[in-house]
Amino acid sequence: MPGLTSESDDLAMVPVSPESEKQPVVIYPLRHGLKSPIHRLSFSWACGNTLRVSVFRKPPSEKADGDGEAGGRVVEVKLSNSGDEEVDAARWRRMAYSSVTPFALLQSRKHSLSAASRMSLDIPPYKAEWWEHVIEYSKEISSLLNDRKPPPKSIIEDPKSVVNEIAAPMCLKAAWELLEIFYVDKQSQSWIPERLIDWLADYNSLFSGTLPTIHSKLVDFQQELVGVQVVEEDPNYWDAMSSALAVGWLETVVKLLRLHGSYRFDQLSSRETENGLVEAVAVLISKMPRMRPGLREDNLGECYKTKPDFMKAWEKWRTQVSKLDCSSYWLQCDHRQTREGLKNLIQIMLGNPTVLSNATFNWMELFISHFLYIRPFTAGLESMHNSAQKCIQVKPVSISHKLFGLVFGILGENTEVVLAECSRSFGPWMMAHAVELLTAGSTHADILLHEEHSKLGGVSIEELHRLVYAQVLSSHALTWQIAPIYLTSCIKQGIGLLENLLYKQPVQHSQILLKSIEICRLYELDTINSNIMRIAGVHHWKHGRKGSGVFWLQQARDEFRLNRIAKQLFDFVGKSVSDEGFKQWEGLIELLGSESRTAGGLEFLNKYRDFRRSLLQVHGDTPTDAARNAAEALVSLMKNPSTPQRFWLPLLYDSLKLLMWQERPLVNVSQTHLLLNKLQELSMARLRPDFVEADLPSDALSSVRLALATNLGGAILEE
Amino acid sequence: MAVLTSSSQNLQVHRFPQDHYIDSLRWLPQLSAFHRNIILAAFDSETSTSSLQILSSSNSSSNPPELTFQSSLTTPSRITSLTTSQNPNKLLIAASTFSGSLLLYTADLVSGSLEFVDSVAEKGFHLGRVNGIDVSENGSEFVSVGEDGRINWVSFVGGGLSTRKVFDSNGLVSYGAVKWASPVEFVSGGLGFGLQWWDQRRPGGPVSQFKANWTRGTTSGIVHSIDIHPSRKHTCLAGGSSGTVFAWDLRWQQQPIMLSGVGTSDMSALSPSESDVWEVQYDNYTTSSNYRNMSESRVLPAMICSEDGILAVIEQGEEPVELLAEPCAINSFDIDRQNPSDIVCSLEWESIAILTRS
């Protein structure tokens, strides 16, 4: 075992993963406070990401006397949220919370749709409706992934700001959008290349950390720009523009071009031709035809919705670019950097592969530039895939970014790869939610994900991922309560796991208990509901909260246990009417109510209380009627089988004054016989070894006997 | 689901995600027209620590409000209930805890800082969770009730706390909520929709008890929250399980006035919620104009928040007005006393919502 040879008192845990070269090793110190040597370690999982480590010392040998030290200790180590570091725990929970509603809505729509279409979503009208729902779902999930607030926009626009530093994007959102582009958004099918261009523009900064990117180059140049006087003489200026143009960030290029020195008033006259060329390139760039329905804010280009229109415009634009390339004005331009730089931009627009390759830094950027300038009419995943393969050959990456893997999997139409990439790089949340996009977008994925696998216990891959996600949710004290939403969407194993989850919740925490009961109510889990209440009842009872114990057992309608605890409860009840302690019982008796069905054996307490009340009202000068009521209460108590035997004698002893009522006997012959029989039974019971003697004067029994006999005599005479 | 009239009034809702669970929250008295403070009891699940925090809310009609963190103090245990007192000399914040103690803090509204004053934590106070506390109108008498069945009276005198046991049921009854009715009377509530009226002039036990009798045959519930209106001290408003809200009038003790609840068949149609009502408070906002016209026997309008995410105003014999319907529970809310159009509530999914009615 690692760490055992160490001489130090404290151990440390070092997780070793096969990828440890890339990720720094995390060390978790174990503060067990035991003296060396440590003999044995044992590991087990506690709640969530917490690891429970039991540290044992060597058992003390015979001769060495105990040093008073503990023989071992259990410490818990909270493993930090490994994997996706871009999402901290609080943010992750926020994501989990806000994805519940869209997910639940989509599931309920799926149910109602499949009910309406009799189990098949493939019939055209339903399919179209289903698409709408999935798109709405996808957009909603996507929107919750960017809750980081953008920095406030300054009112005065800085002419030298070329890179729009919007809120830092998330890889997760980039991946989600990729899936949306390729699987869900049917309307954008014809302009997928343009959507990819937008996508790269949004997320290029994500790659900057691990790879050289155009974004990082522009950021560097932006910093440089502040100090540069004559911008057109800086080679970086031209490089930045050609890179930005290569991936279609037209607005950036035009903005940069306008910073050219020839636009300045004092130089305009002397550099007229030069300025004309710069402006001509800027105009051509801003007129570039794009095959898309509309532009995003700040974007340049001219949009064409149909392919024929676009092709026509494209040809025309290309002719204009070539015309400018061959223009005679270039000879009159004597600023070398400007001439060469502009020519380079024109080469990019003409789709020169070498220039494009020089202007881009990784295969993804090159791939995008190919769409823009070399194969603008690319359609279909297969040709995109071929193109991507070629780009990878030209610009191989040493460290593959996780998004690259996903893009390549999608282009290769390989659902297994897409799933594997998603699960490896983006975790259970992504898997549970993205499956809906995949199944909606591809029949192959639909079959693959819904097929039941016997080696997975009969569940489909879709269900498996939901179960995994629910497991992740369950392991946290704040998110466990949303796990049921995912579990109940799993047909095969969901309910079973939900039962487990509910049983595992600590009942001693009343808020969690009420939450569990609420979940049971929502999903109609009546049996579990009453079991949980029963567990809670027994727990409270054991911890001395008798009222809560009785309440929950009543709620669970557990007569068996109510009867059991009744026996214990009676031990505490004050035995004599005059006992002041009985006041405390009033509240509990109130709670019990008078219905025997819900009170079980405790019904006795209620009758007992009524009897005590009526007895306390009986004094020497009380009218006989009140005394008669008390006597009736006594007889009915004695008759009732739920009255415990140990109360018989105290009851009768307390009622001595009723039995010896001066005016007339209150108890008739047959009732007296009943009471005498009970007394006889009691005498028999006394012989048994387990009999508990009531705490009464020693002559109690004989005085009760005497009173009963007197009463019997009087009663016989009266009848 | 009950039919709900959508509120005709103009309502603005702003949500503020937090990084921790909020056990309870309250408005603090307003300092200026533009700044108000909120005190909240937060629980951080990562570190298992709980704290009291003051957030300040900027309040201008043009911009959406903003919440800014002011100060925080770690508390020894998780908070179960929070109450503030309008003591003229000092703003006191009392909190009861899971571990059975009562903590007293004072807040400086200008600097937004919190300061510890005193606590009661000895063994004889409460065993286990203190479920409810309330502070008297003069701001120096507290009453606390716990699941252990104890009721304690805590006085703040001479800068410190002194306690006196009012009642100990030895666990035979557990209490869930408490509210002062007068300087010597208070009402407690708990299991079985039970309410108990206590009068310090008659010690030894409750002077009056109420037990729900409408739950015949069905399961019963727990009272989670109680409110008493200063102008009608004989009526006690209680909210609890199964969306139940009822009023108990001491003058007609046998029969409660049902306002909402699925346990009763005639009420379920009007009930905004079907699960636990966590908090009830009389809502002074809607009635400020026709307040005096209201018949003595009618229960004043009340606001509730519930486990199924409803924040609504209910009025006797009328359809409830739903202010919020969240996908998660609303744990606690508070109506601003000086400005009853404003409400702050804490959502189960670690966020705060501020509502402004106009």
Side-chain angles (χ1 to χ4, degrees):
Chain A
M1 232 175 280
L4 276 193
T5 52
S6 127
E7 287 293 306
S8 77
D9 282 359
D10 277 328
L11 298 174
M13 216 166 47
V14 183
V16 181
S17 67
E19 292 168 276
S20 56
E21 296 103 59
K22 272 184 272 171
Q23 289 170 344
V25 172
V26 192
I27 297 173
Y28 301 99
L30 302 179
R31 305 199 194 288
H32 52 77
L34 293 173
K35 279 191 190 156
S36 300
I38 301 304
H39 177 59
R40 209 157 67 86
L41 289 175
S42 141
F43 297 91
S44 64
W45 283 109
C47 188
N49 267 358
T50 316
L51 201 60
R52 189 176 291 141
V53 186
S54 315
V55 189
F56 300 97
R57 293 177 71 208
K58 208 172 193 100
S61 52
E62 291 288 325
K63 50 193 174 186
D65 43 34
D67 47 5
E69 276 275 322
R73 190 150 294 163
V74 181
V75 281
E76 291 200 338
V77 183
K78 202 166 225 172
L79 305 181
S80 64
N81 197 8
S82 62
D84 216 339
E85 291 302 331
E86 74 171 340
V87 185
D88 63 32
R91 181 141 197 242
W92 186 87
R93 290 200 301 275
R94 211 173 301 149
M95 231 169 74
Y97 296 144
S98 36
S99 40
V100 167
T101 314
F103 178 83
L105 182 65
L106 190 74
Q107 296 309 317
S108 85
R109 281 172 164 170
K110 190 190 273 178
H111 273 293
S112 51
L113 263 187
S114 59
S117 66
R118 298 213 180 91
M119 299 314 290
S120 171
L121 289 176
D122 289 334
I123 304 158
Y126 295 112
K127 194 166 184 161
E129 202 180 331
W130 178 238
W131 275 112
E132 298 277 307
H133 295 327
V134 177
I135 290 171
E136 193 186 320
Y137 163 77
S138 174
K139 299 266 186 244
E140 233 167 280
I141 297 274
S142 179
S143 73
L144 69 89
L145 291 176
N146 53 352
D147 65 354
R148 281 187 227 179
K149 271 191 192 148
K153 249 188 181 170
S154 69
I155 302 160
I156 305 157
E157 207 184 339
D158 180 8
K160 288 198 169 178
S161 134
V162 281
V163 189
N164 266 338
E165 234 9 274
I166 48 162
M170 277 169 76
C171 268
L172 214 50
K173 185 173 161 73
W176 187 271
E177 269 192 22
L178 271 182
L179 296 177
E180 185 181 288
I181 291 169
F182 285 99
Y183 290 98
V184 187
D185 205 346
K186 286 278 157 184
Q187 285 170 335
S188 69
Q189 291 281 302
S190 56
W191 50 287
I192 282 187
E194 282 283 344
R195 286 210 62 179
L196 274 180
I197 292 163
D198 290 349
W199 180 84
L200 187 73
D202 289 343
Y203 301 110
N204 196 254
S205 60
L206 284 176
F207 310 121
S208 300
T210 45
L211 298 165
T213 58
I214 295 177
H215 177 264
S216 61
K217 182 155 182 122
L218 283 175
V219 171
D220 290 347
F221 176 66
Q222 161 118 34
Q223 278 165 358
E224 199 186 315
L225 193 60
V226 187
V228 176
Q229 285 298 318
V230 188
V231 77
E232 62 270 24
E233 277 171 16
D234 183 356
N236 285 341
Y237 171 66
W238 297 104
D239 286 350
M241 280 196 293
S242 57
S243 291
L245 182 63
V247 287
W249 302 349
L250 309 182
E251 59 289 342
T252 309
V253 185
V254 172
K255 204 170 180 184
L256 280 172
L257 276 176
R258 300 259 153 88
L259 294 177
H260 194 272
S262 64
Y263 281 101
R264 285 158 67 168
F265 283 119
D266 53 337
Q267 300 185 11
L268 205 56
S269 50
S270 58
R271 301 169 75 175
E272 207 174 342
T273 321
E274 197 184 333
N275 183 253
L277 284 168
V278 175
E279 185 57 27
V281 172
V283 168
L284 272 179
I285 289 173
S286 57
K287 291 233 148 88
M288 180 174 168
R290 326 239 348 212
M291 167 100 181
R292 55 191 295 160
L295 287 171
R296 303 200 297 185
E297 194 194 353
D298 295 339
N299 272 19
L300 296 174
E302 287 186 348
C303 299
Y304 296 92
K305 280 185 188 134
T306 60
K307 206 165 178 180
D309 288 349
F310 171 65
M311 284 167 93
K312 220 185 277 167
W314 175 262
E315 293 303 334
K316 199 175 146 204
W317 180 73
R318 262 293 169 83
T319 327
Q320 286 169 337
V321 177
S322 331
K323 221 192 231 163
L324 182 65
D325 192 28
C326 310
S327 160
S328 58
Y329 286 110
W330 294 108
L331 299 172
Q332 294 169 34
C333 175
D334 40 333
H335 196 272
R336 187 183 56 87
Q337 282 99 333
T338 303
R339 195 174 59 232
E340 281 171 12
L342 289 177
K343 279 275 194 182
N344 205 40
L345 293 183
I346 287 174
Q347 283 307 306
I348 285 177
M349 287 191 272
L350 291 174
N352 182 329
T354 333
V355 180
L356 284 177
S357 170
N358 289 338
T360 52
F361 298 97
N362 56 52
W363 74 262
M364 191 70 210
E365 289 167 358
L366 185 63
F367 178 57
I368 295 295
S369 72
H370 277 222
F371 280 141
L372 278 163
Y373 304 106
I374 298 181
R375 283 183 207 84
F377 312 120
T378 309
L381 286 175
E382 206 181 333
S383 59
M384 282 192 210
H385 190 233
N386 289 337
S387 165
Q389 271 173 325
K390 273 180 211 148
C391 293
I392 290 177
Q393 280 165 13
V394 177
K395 284 207 179 289
V397 277
S398 51
I399 309 158
S400 180
H401 194 275
K402 51 190 177 184
L403 284 170
F404 287 178
L406 183 60
V407 172
F408 206 69
I410 293 174
L411 293 176
E413 291 183 89
N414 195 335
T415 315
E416 282 95 337
V417 172
V418 174
L419 282 174
E421 286 292 338
C422 278
S423 136
R424 193 168 61 97
S425 312
F426 304 104
W429 177 88
M430 186 70 168
M431 290 313 291
H433 292 92
V435 157
E436 296 295 344
L437 306 188
L438 292 176
T439 51
S442 134
T443 324
H444 176 237
D446 189 41
I447 295 165
L448 183 80
L449 286 162
H450 286 139
E451 189 189 353
E452 286 169 4
H453 296 266
S454 57
K455 62 171 186 265
L456 296 177
V459 303
S460 64
I461 295 190
E462 177 187 61
E463 181 166 341
L464 176 74
H465 286 301
R466 280 187 199 160
L467 293 175
V468 169
Y469 179 59
Q471 203 62 33
V472 173
L473 291 173
S474 311
S475 70
H476 194 281
L478 295 182
T479 52
W480 77 269
Q481 31 86 15
I482 52 180
I485 291 161
Y486 293 88
L487 287 173
T488 47
S489 73
C490 299
I491 310 152
K492 293 262 172 175
Q493 305 284 346
I495 293 297
L497 284 170
L498 179 56
E499 287 183 18
N500 273 348
L501 174 64
L502 289 168
Y503 282 138
K504 268 198 304 194
Q505 297 309 314
V507 290
Q508 63 270 28
H509 192 310
S510 63
Q511 241 67 19
I512 295 179
L513 171 67
L514 292 172
K515 182 60 127 186
S516 303
I517 291 170
E518 170 76 3
I519 291 169
C520 290
R521 184 183 73 86
L522 285 177
Y523 298 107
E524 292 166 354
L525 304 169
D526 294 339
T527 324
I528 304 169
N529 197 2
S530 51
N531 283 346
I532 290 174
M533 293 200 243
R534 190 173 298 153
I535 294 167
V538 173
H539 175 86
H540 283 299
W541 177 261
K542 280 185 174 168
H543 284 80
R545 292 183 291 272
K546 301 186 184 66
S548 298
V550 168
F551 174 77
W552 287 115
L553 287 176
Q554 271 189 307
Q555 294 293 89
R557 293 162 192 263
D558 188 348
E559 272 189 56
F560 174 72
R561 275 179 191 78
L562 279 173
N563 287 335
R564 284 280 293 278
I565 64 168
K567 290 207 176 72
Q568 295 183 36
L569 200 56
F570 298 147
D571 288 343
F572 298 102
V573 182
K575 298 295 191 315
S576 173
V577 184
S578 51
D579 189 350
E580 268 301 306
F582 196 72
K583 267 219 145 165
Q584 291 180 335
W585 291 84
E586 291 276 342
L588 180 66
I589 292 163
E590 249 336 280
L591 178 65
L592 285 170
S594 51
E595 278 181 83
S596 62
R597 197 161 47 79
T598 51
L602 294 173
E603 176 204 7
F604 156 71
L605 276 180
N606 210 309
K607 291 214 169 81
Y608 184 49
R609 194 254 320 253
D610 292 345
F611 165 67
R612 288 178 71 124
R613 273 190 186 157
S614 51
L615 197 59
L616 281 173
Q617 283 162 4
V618 177
H619 305 290
D621 52 351
T622 321
T624 307
D625 280 352
R628 185 179 294 278
N629 286 343
E632 263 164 28
L634 170 72
V635 171
S636 92
L637 258 182
M638 292 301 282
K639 246 189 210 166
N640 195 324
S642 72
T643 305
Q645 199 181 41
R646 74 184 78 159
F647 277 89
W648 293 354
L649 192 56
L651 276 172
L652 289 168
Y653 187 68
D654 283 341
S655 330
L656 276 181
K657 56 183 168 188
L658 298 177
L659 298 175
M660 302 201 290
W661 197 252
Q662 290 301 326
E663 291 175 35
R664 41 178 296 212
L666 299 172
V667 185
N668 68 26
V669 180
S670 64
Q671 286 168 336
T672 318
H673 275 301
L674 172 97
L675 298 182
L676 279 168
N677 280 339
K678 290 276 180 190
L679 216 53
Q680 188 61 27
E681 216 177 296
L682 201 62
S683 309
M684 302 289 284
R686 278 182 121 159
L687 303 174
R688 287 210 305 268
D690 59 340
F691 183 79
V692 186
E693 199 71 57
D695 186 18
L696 289 170
S698 52
D699 62 342
L701 185 64
S702 51
S703 41
V704 169
R705 253 201 202 114
L706 182 66
L708 279 175
T710 319
N711 185 77
L712 184 63
I716 289 172
L717 282 179
E718 192 151 286
E719 282 171 24
Chain B
M1 191 63 205
V3 186
L4 297 161
T5 47
S6 64
S7 64
S8 54
Q9 57 195 353
N10 197 1
L11 184 72
Q12 278 185 312
V13 185
H14 298 280
R15 291 181 178 77
F16 305 92
Q18 306 288 305
D19 288 347
H20 34 67
Y21 191 84
I22 297 142
D23 285 318
S24 182
L25 84 183
R26 296 281 174 260
W27 286 112
L28 290 177
Q30 194 161 358
L31 198 63
S32 76
F34 305 107
H35 268 280
R36 263 178 307 174
N37 288 319
I38 297 166
I39 178 125
L40 56 93
F43 176 69
D44 186 331
S45 62
E46 298 300 313
T47 55
S48 296
T49 51
S50 56
S51 59
L52 280 179
Q53 299 186 353
I54 291 188
L55 303 183
S56 110
S57 131
S58 70
N59 190 28
S60 66
S61 49
S62 53
N63 292 328
E66 268 179 42
L67 277 189
T68 33
F69 175 82
Q70 296 285 317
S71 66
S72 154
L73 266 188
T74 307
T75 58
S77 168
R78 201 166 161 179
I79 306 297
T80 53
S81 173
L82 198 62
T83 176
T84 61
S85 85
Q86 321 291 66
N87 190 318
N89 313 317
K90 226 176 191 180
L91 172 65
L92 291 176
I93 295 154
S96 60
T97 68
F98 270 65
S99 64
S101 58
L102 188 147
L103 309 166
L104 192 67
Y105 295 86
T106 180
D108 182 347
L109 289 177
V110 183
S111 65
S113 64
L114 271 169
E115 202 186 316
F116 176 75
V117 177
D118 199 6
S119 72
V120 194
E122 61 256 33
K123 268 210 161 132
F125 187 56
H126 279 287
L127 281 173
R129 239 177 102 95
V130 185
N131 279 332
I133 45 167
D134 192 35
V135 62
S136 63
E137 264 180 82
N138 67 12
S140 54
E141 309 285 332
F142 301 89
V143 60
S144 67
V145 295
E147 63 176 10
D148 56 353
R150 289 185 188 170
I151 298 180
N152 285 301
W153 181 309
V154 183
S155 306
F156 179 64
V157 274
L161 294 170
S162 67
T163 68
R164 182 160 63 83
K165 189 176 285 176
V166 174
F167 187 72
D168 186 354
S169 81
N170 285 318
L172 289 171
V173 181
S174 287
Y175 300 105
V178 70
K179 187 82 190 170
W180 286 103
S182 78
V184 287
E185 292 162 291
F186 59 83
V187 178
S188 66
L191 304 173
F193 289 129
L195 292 176
Q196 301 84 29
W197 191 281
W198 306 79
D199 188 336
Q200 278 315 284
R201 292 162 298 194
R202 290 158 69 192
V207 289
S208 190
Q209 289 202 54
F210 166 78
K211 161 90 173 29
N213 54 1
W214 68 82
T215 54
R216 203 168 289 273
T218 65
T219 48
S220 184
I222 307 171
V223 170
H224 297 307
S225 175
I226 301 174
D227 198 13
I228 293 171
H229 199 277
S231 74
R232 298 183 181 187
K233 294 192 170 175
H234 46 80
T235 309
C236 168
L237 179 75
S241 316
S242 315
T244 305
V245 182
F246 63 93
W248 179 46
D249 193 328
L250 271 188
R251 297 167 301 179
W252 294 281
Q253 284 194 24
Q254 291 317 304
Q255 205 54 44
I257 304 159
M258 294 303 298
L259 297 172
S260 152
V262 287
T264 49
S265 51
D266 53 332
M267 260 298 143
S268 43
L270 281 176
S271 293
S273 161
E274 292 175 7
S275 46
D276 296 86
V277 171
W278 291 125
E279 191 149 3
V280 287
Q281 271 186 34
Y282 280 112
D283 182 19
N284 293 346
Y285 178 65
T286 42
T287 48
S288 44
S289 54
N290 55 353
Y291 203 58
R292 268 168 239 102
N293 303 339
M294 265 183 122
S295 137
E296 257 288 289
S297 57
R298 249 174 87 108
V299 181
L300 296 170
M303 190 178 289
I304 63 156
C305 71
S306 76
E307 173 66 34
D308 46 10
I310 303 293
L311 184 76
V313 178
I314 50 176
E315 220 178 323
Q316 195 180 353
E318 283 183 32
E319 296 225 327
V321 178
E322 193 179 271
L323 301 177
L324 268 187
E326 292 291 307
C328 63
I330 301 179
N331 294 325
S332 137
F333 75 92
D334 195 27
I335 305 173
D336 193 344
R337 287 186 223 187
Q338 290 142 307
N339 203 355
S341 64
D342 293 5
I343 307 149
V344 61
C345 59
S346 70
L347 309 179
E348 183 185 19
W349 289 348
E350 298 173 63
S351 62
I352 294 174
I354 295 183
L355 289 84
T356 310
R357 294 177 279 184
S358 53

